[in-house]
Amino acid sequence: MMSTTTLRRLVSGSCIETRFTPRIVEDAPCHEIVIEGDELDKPGKGLDSLPIPISTPGWDIAPFTTLSQYITKDPDSGVQNMGIYRGQVKAPRRLGMNPSLELRPGIYAHWEKMKARGKKLPAAVILGAPPCVAFTSAQKVPESLDELYVAGGLVGAPINVVKAKTVDLLVPAEAEIVVEGYIDTEYLEPEAPFGESHGHVNLQEYNAYMEVTCITR
């Protein structure tokens, strides 16, 4: 359950005003196992090694991550953004995604900027984040703020982060699983259908996808 102090910080908005700069660490629990390169192509070493379920049997086209935090970085300001989006497992090294473009999330702004540069967007997908990180990633905060700073304000202490192995991003050090890779900015692919939590089905549409370069846990 959420403590009274944490709830007070959330309701008052003080978690934004009293945000904490994340603490960068060298060694992290999320890097106890590192799988990258050709190792990801071996059976049971890529996304097929992760415990990702079919959420809505009969409707979901594939296993989907649901409480997955996507971290990307603004190529102009260097500020990271974190948001919750689903991820469709398409192949051991290919993860589809739905960034809810109608809501104009930060990840889409980053995608557009990298597309204009003709480059892919570095990304990290967090599975099993500390609760304060997962909770904060679903909130709407100014795009000039990194949600990891706000998560620190929520709990009253800096969030431990570590540099990702194959992309230039900082990820929660205590995450259970981190999937790193690059989101293509040239092509889109069919994604979904997917059974949503409210009982309706999100029909198939064209969305971006990520080419996985590393999985750590």
Side-chain angles (χ1 to χ4, degrees):
M1 295 181 63
M2 189 177 295
S3 71
T4 302
T5 302
T6 301
L7 183 60
R8 188 179 299 117
R9 286 196 182 103
L10 174 64
V11 173
S12 67
S14 65
C15 57
I16 293 180
E17 298 173 2
T18 59
R19 55 190 179 273
F20 283 79
T21 300
R23 180 190 298 113
I24 300 176
V25 300
E26 296 297 326
D27 298 315
C30 69
H31 284 168
E32 290 181 0
I33 298 174
V34 178
I35 304 173
E36 57 184 319
D38 294 339
E39 190 75 10
L40 290 165
D41 294 320
K42 296 180 179 179
K45 293 292 186 178
L47 294 174
D48 54 330
S49 69
L50 305 182
I52 303 172
I54 297 283
S55 299
T56 314
W59 294 103
D60 291 1
I61 197 171
F64 281 82
T65 65
T66 50
L67 190 63
S68 39
Q69 291 80 46
Y70 281 71
I71 295 177
T72 56
K73 182 164 60 177
D74 188 311
D76 294 330
S77 67
V79 175
Q80 291 192 171
N81 175 269
M82 179 174 62
I84 292 181
Y85 315 111
R86 69 177 184 242
Q88 178 184 332
V89 177
K90 295 187 169 188
R93 297 183 65 167
R94 199 179 198 86
L95 186 67
M97 58 180 294
N98 185 335
S100 302
L101 301 186
E102 65 276 7
L103 301 178
R104 300 291 298 177
I107 190 174
Y108 181 58
H110 300 173
W111 185 88
E112 285 191 314
K113 289 182 178 182
M114 294 301 282
K115 179 178 176 64
R117 289 167 166 78
K119 297 181 179 180
K120 296 179 180 180
L121 176 64
V125 180
I126 312 304
L127 303 175
C132 63
V133 172
F135 184 84
T136 305
S137 67
Q139 310 310 311
K140 291 297 181 183
V141 302
E143 289 188 9
S144 59
L145 290 181
D146 183 337
E147 283 84 353
L148 289 172
Y149 285 64
V150 180
L154 188 62
V155 295
I159 302 299
N160 290 331
V161 295
V162 67
K163 191 178 185 306
K165 292 292 186 179
T166 60
V167 292
D168 185 20
L169 295 168
L170 294 173
V171 300
E174 280 81 30
E176 293 185 20
I177 300 169
V178 179
V179 180
E180 303 175 13
Y182 290 86
I183 298 173
D184 197 288
T185 58
E186 183 176 4
Y187 299 105
L188 302 177
E189 292 184 340
E191 186 265 349
F194 173 75
E196 297 283 5
S197 59
H198 45 57
H200 296 275
V201 173
N202 187 183
L203 300 178
Q204 187 178 88
E205 53 191 82
Y206 281 86
N207 279 311
Y209 63 90
M210 186 172 86
E211 298 168 348
V212 177
T213 56
C214 183
I215 297 176
T216 71
R217 60 176 83 177

